[in-house]
Amino acid sequence: MRIDISWIRGSNALTLLRNRICTRLVDHPQKLTRSSCAVFLPICHRKGSLSLLYTRRTDTLNSHTGQVSFPGGRCDEGETVRETSVREMEEEIGVQPHSVWGCLSRPIVSLKLENVYGCVGYLGHFEDNNFTLSDVEVSHIFTIPLEDLVNSRSEKVYDNQTNSRQRRVISQRIASNELPGEKDKQDVLSALDKINQYKMPVFPTPLEQDPEIWGLTAVFTDRFLREAFRKDGYKKHDFTVT
């Protein structure tokens, strides 16, 4: 069933979106170490539509080569989530946000066992920004309207990782859904630790060479959409394979 968020086309859509999501965001003022990372989820207007901006990483990077991502990277010692994500965005695409709205409440634990935080903010109108892309890190940028993202999520089934610590991380991520009827979380984790497969959200892109948003970028996209459009019927993604 298509989710109706036609209100996002109205003249006061930005204010409504900000009022909605800011009640779900937090500050994360603590100083972080280099074991943590942060990304910035940039909202912008483009061709009249409120959209999310994505980058495509270059083919010459040592990690996550050629993947679709949000601007972001590793925290410098003593930085906050906001400081890291804004700095990384300026380094990668040459702009600063008009406003920073806040951070998603919980970090996502990567398969490298790193805490990755997400910060949300507004860039203004895409056409008014003077983007300067890092030749080393960013191949190109593109946007997808929020209305398209809300109605285009699909999922893929992945085999669980063989590394026991990574299996534990995936199990904890699944268990964070607060499965009903389970009294002992350790029992839940023990059971989920034995899973062979899990589901991840996937979103299509308008790019022929990069047809999908997947991995942590898709998880961050999904969490943002859930916080913004839960009142409209956007459901939380379920990582479990039935």
Side-chain angles (χ1 to χ4, degrees), residues 185-197:
K185 187 173 181 180
Q186 288 304 315
D187 288 345
V188 177
L189 290 177
S190 297
L192 292 174
D193 197 34
K194 299 174 184 178
I195 63 175
N196 296 315
Q197 294 180 314

Side-chain angles (χ1 to χ4, degrees), residues 230-242:
R230 63 173 61 204
K231 291 182 179 179
D232 304 293
Y234 190 89
K235 304 294 186 183
K236 178 190 289 186
H237 172 76
D238 183 2
F239 291 94
T240 55
V241 177
T242 56

